[in-house]
Amino acid sequence: MTPSPVAKATQTGYPKKAILGKMALGAGQESSRPLEGPLKAKEASGRVITTVFIALLIDLLGFTLILPLLPSILDHYSKNDDGLYLTLQHGVDRFAAVVGVPPERKYNNVLFGGLIGSIFSVLQFFASPLTGAASDCFGRRPLMLLTVMGLIASYSLWAVSRSFELFLLSRVVGGISKGNVSLSTAIIADLACPKARNKGMAMIGVAFSLGFTLGPMLGAYLAMEAEKGEIFYLWSALFAVMFSITDLAFIFFFLPETLPKEKRVSSVISGFQSVTSLLSPWALFQFSAISGSLVWSISFISSCSLVWNTL
């Protein structure tokens, strides 16, 4: 009969209790090893969520500084007899007459501000899917850095703008570069754990709430504190530049790449082809843009419900 390992060790002179203790310790270490992977993945997901939350909050603080100032900025340029401003103003006047808007200045300012805001939104509508498609090929991190550099250029143009043309150019550059918001959502969607993805999406909502609450307040305060003879929006524009530069440095040092190379598309052209349905109004109204992902959506909603019920 073959003696047990404990019997063999006691025959060599080792105390039996010490041998049993070492065996128990080794068994405990082996049982903890399978947990190291999930724990590290959870920690990595937590760091990504925190980084995306802080980066998006900084970005939204800079983005929302202009919101309470836009009517005053347009009124400021209306007094300069700017050619492009007057051309757009005549177009707004004709549109107001067609739809029956009362011929009062306050309504005209609302329509003109809506036109400038819609230019930014339309450009963001077209640029965001293309930015996302490019990130599917080149990775999230490089495109995130590129969009933030575009925002730095946009806010810098706003800070030095003394004409309506330059201000409008800053809004155009900003609209094209605003794909970082959709990239933040894509980074969260890259996380492997469904519970981490749910938490990340919630933190994106929190960042929007804080940004759209604190940013306009700060922008209005900076405009009120402008000295006499100074352009009232200058400090708000400079703070927007400062926020975007801070955001760029924060992303560069702390944001990891969440899309591994083996999961990326083969070429950027194929990525652009996949988003054509997202840019087609006809496809959007027919819901063909999301029909291909219906099964994934149902499974994702089911997983969200499962995670919610376990909280």
Side-chain angles (χ1 to χ4, degrees):
M1 183 176 180
T2 304
S4 65
V6 177
K8 287 183 178 180
T10 52
Q11 290 175 2
T12 60
Y14 286 98
K16 185 175 181 180
K17 290 183 178 180
I19 296 169
L20 292 175
K22 288 183 178 181
M23 293 179 63
L25 180 60
Q29 290 177 347
E30 290 179 358
S31 64
S32 64
R33 283 172 188 167
L35 297 177
E36 290 180 0
L39 285 176
K40 289 183 179 179
K42 185 177 180 180
E43 292 176 0
S45 298
R47 286 194 296 269
V48 170
I49 292 172
T50 302
T51 303
V52 169
F53 169 75
I54 296 176
L56 187 58
L57 178 59
I58 295 173
D59 169 72
L60 292 173
L61 287 174
F63 168 71
T64 55
L65 288 173
I66 195 176
L67 296 184
L69 309 181
L70 190 57
S72 299
I73 291 174
L74 297 179
D75 187 63
H76 169 75
Y77 287 121
S78 68
K79 300 174 183 177
N80 297 338
D81 295 330
D82 189 279
L84 179 60
Y85 183 95
L86 293 176
T87 301
L88 294 176
Q89 183 64 69
H90 291 324
V92 171
D93 291 339
R94 288 193 292 269
F95 175 78
V98 170
V99 299
V101 176
E104 297 183 21
R105 187 170 182 81
K106 60 180 181 180
Y107 297 116
N108 189 278
N109 288 341
V110 171
L111 284 175
F112 198 88
L115 172 64
I116 301 302
S118 61
I119 291 175
F120 183 95
S121 301
V122 168
L123 290 172
Q124 184 181 9
F125 170 78
F126 285 104
S128 293
L130 297 177
T131 303
S135 73
D136 289 338
C137 179
F138 301 110
R140 312 296 189 204
R141 177 183 159 87
L143 268 296
M144 181 69 84
L145 293 171
L146 183 63
T147 55
V148 177
M149 285 189 285
L151 292 174
I152 293 174
S154 171
Y155 298 142
S156 300
L157 287 172
W158 177 32
V160 301
S161 64
R162 300 297 180 266
S163 65
F164 181 73
E165 288 88 350
L166 198 56
F167 172 74
L168 189 62
L169 178 62
S170 73
R171 301 301 292 169
V172 170
V173 174
I176 295 173
S177 305
K178 207 67 183 105
N180 62 323
V181 176
S182 60
L183 285 177
S184 299
T185 306
I187 290 171
I188 297 299
D190 289 336
L191 300 179
C193 177
K195 191 171 183 178
R197 289 198 298 268
N198 297 340
K199 180 181 178 182
M201 295 300 179
M203 294 305 293
I204 288 178
V206 173
F208 266 89
S209 299
L210 291 175
F212 275 82
T213 300
L214 301 177
M217 294 172 58
L218 179 59
Y221 173 78
L222 293 172
M224 292 173 59
E225 293 297 316
E227 297 181 0
K228 188 175 181 180
E230 189 177 51
I231 299 177
F232 66 94
Y233 60 79
L234 178 60
W235 281 106
S236 297
L238 292 177
F239 264 71
V241 174
M242 181 192 69
F243 278 130
S244 57
I245 293 175
T246 304
D247 197 26
L248 180 67
F250 183 80
I251 291 172
F252 180 81
F253 286 108
F254 295 104
L255 182 66
E257 178 57 61
T258 58
L259 185 65
K261 293 184 178 180
E262 61 270 14
K263 292 185 178 181
R264 300 178 189 178
V265 297
S266 57
S267 67
V268 69
I269 300 300
S270 61
F272 287 157
Q273 291 175 347
S274 65
V275 300
T276 53
S277 59
L278 296 175
L279 299 177
S280 170
W282 178 254
L284 288 174
F285 283 113
Q286 287 187 322
F287 296 99
S288 60
I290 62 173
S291 60
S293 59
L294 181 59
V295 175
W296 178 88
S297 301
I298 294 174
S299 62
F300 179 72
I301 292 172
S302 301
S303 64
C304 290
S305 176
L306 178 61
V307 172
W308 174 259
N309 291 330
T310 57
L311 294 179

